Amino acid sequence: MKDLKIPQHIAIVMDGNGRWAGKRHLPRIMGHRKGKETARQVTSACSELGVKFLTLFAFSRENWKRPKLEVNFLMKLLEHAIDSELEYLKREEIRVMTIGSSEGLSERLIRKIRRTTELTKDHKRINLVVALNYGGRQEIINSIRRLASGKSPEDIQQTIDALTPEVFDGYLDTAGIPDPDLVIRTSGEMRLSNFLLWQSSYSEWVVSPKFWPDFTREDLIDAVAEYSERNRRYGGLR
Ligand code: FPP
């Protein structure tokens, strides 16, 4: 543990909730409920390790295609978590942020998110970034719109001429958040699934075979240990 290289930012695709439930002959929503507990444990573990940013993929733009019952349950689960976890967020000094679009979310949920981000904005221990109604391609399109918004054609041209990856970073939902050093995906799937497309260009990936509800603190430490062994070259030489 002592020699672990701790990533500044870990991002996680919490996959396998449905299959976890299916294996136990339970409705899929039970997998999400258990997955929420795992999210809390992993947040605490990251905080203890000294990770400064943890991004959790809670709901993708594509997840609206799921049955209404499941979508509604996930939304309620998030709403409920915001209320029930507030004391925990305060005690553990966790700052909550969100990335993704508010389009399609209920007014109530939007209000609760705003309140939580405001109430936790001075917390310094760890930043918990919840990717909610998030899709990487849409984020890039929205960033281009932001870049052009309110500008004259000449100003747009000037902005585009001077554009660098570092400047573009500032238009993304993740402006101010460092790129993830490590991306973890559970349930053995090796797919990006439209997650942090721009930001994960040089991230190290670790895929765990476990379903998200079974993922433990020890599995997180194993993933960090694997990351520690990697030799990040960013396209250069060692
Ligand atoms: C993917 O598993 C998981 C989701 C779409 C939802 C993840 C949400 C939570 C764990 C809720 C709590 C989160 C926070 C931040 C409070 P899946 O349903 O795609 O599983 P499957 O591939 O086995 O069907």
Side-chain angles (χ1 to χ4, degrees):
M1 264 276 280
K2 227 173 52 218
D3 299 327
L4 283 186
K5 193 167 72 191
I6 304 297
Q8 186 187 16
H9 183 176
I10 298 181
I12 308 184
V13 183
M14 309 181 285
D15 198 11
N17 292 349
R19 278 165 284 166
W20 180 90
K23 245 179 72 180
R24 287 161 179 77
H25 308 289
L26 295 168
R28 292 176 55 82
I29 57 171
M30 297 304 279
H32 297 314
R33 181 176 285 166
K34 182 75 167 57
K36 193 207 109 191
E37 293 311 312
T38 305
R40 186 197 231 249
Q41 280 155 19
V42 168
T43 304
S44 292
C46 281
S47 175
E48 282 162 31
L49 284 176
V51 172
K52 283 295 165 197
F53 292 85
L54 170 65
T55 300
L56 297 178
F57 204 178
F59 193 86
S60 76
R61 283 178 65 86
E62 290 71 31
N63 286 152
W64 294 110
K65 293 182 214 149
R66 294 189 176 202
K68 212 167 168 3
L69 186 91
E70 184 171 344
V71 170
N72 287 346
F73 182 85
L74 277 167
M75 291 298 155
K76 286 276 167 242
L77 190 68
L78 288 163
E79 256 188 46
H80 185 254
I82 286 174
D83 291 333
S84 65
E85 303 296 336
L86 189 59
E87 278 314 305
Y88 162 76
L89 298 171
K90 286 183 180 166
R91 196 171 60 242
E92 306 266 328
E93 277 207 80
I94 300 167
R95 178 181 183 181
V96 177
M97 296 186 248
T98 56
I99 55 171
S101 162
S102 57
E103 204 181 306
L105 303 180
S106 74
E107 275 306 317
R108 238 162 73 121
L109 181 56
I110 295 170
R111 257 201 329 272
K112 283 182 187 226
I113 291 170
R114 271 202 206 115
R115 182 166 167 268
T116 308
T117 51
E118 180 59 30
L119 284 173
T120 62
K121 71 176 193 307
D122 295 323
H123 292 173
K124 298 270 184 299
R125 192 129 179 240
I126 184 167
N127 298 281
L128 174 62
V129 184
V130 182
L132 180 57
N133 195 14
Y134 174 84
R137 288 181 170 180
Q138 192 63 42
E139 181 193 25
I140 292 171
I141 291 175
N142 291 344
S143 308
I144 296 166
R145 290 194 178 127
R146 266 178 224 136
L147 176 156
S149 158
K151 290 196 182 91
S152 67
E154 293 74 26
D155 284 351
I156 293 173
Q157 189 61 55
Q158 240 178 30
T159 309
I160 287 173
D161 289 345
L163 199 57
T164 62
E166 292 71 25
V167 172
F168 193 68
D169 275 343
Y171 291 98
L172 293 162
D173 293 2
T174 51
I177 298 173
D179 288 343
D181 305 290
L182 168 63
V183 183
I184 299 172
R185 181 165 188 150
T186 55
S187 92
E189 305 288 352
M190 303 206 191
R191 273 194 299 276
L192 272 171
S193 296
N194 207 11
F195 187 47
L196 299 177
L197 291 185
W198 172 275
Q199 298 88 340
S200 65
S201 298
Y202 286 103
S203 305
E204 296 295 327
W205 276 78
V206 171
V207 174
S208 163
K210 287 200 178 175
F211 294 141
W212 176 248
D214 287 331
F215 194 79
T216 61
R217 187 179 189 283
E218 287 65 42
D219 295 320
L220 175 82
I221 293 170
D222 285 350
V224 172
E226 198 175 325
Y227 163 83
S228 293
E229 305 271 295
R230 303 265 179 96
N231 165 26
R232 300 180 81 188
R233 293 194 300 272
Y234 301 94
L237 298 177
R238 195 189 157 89

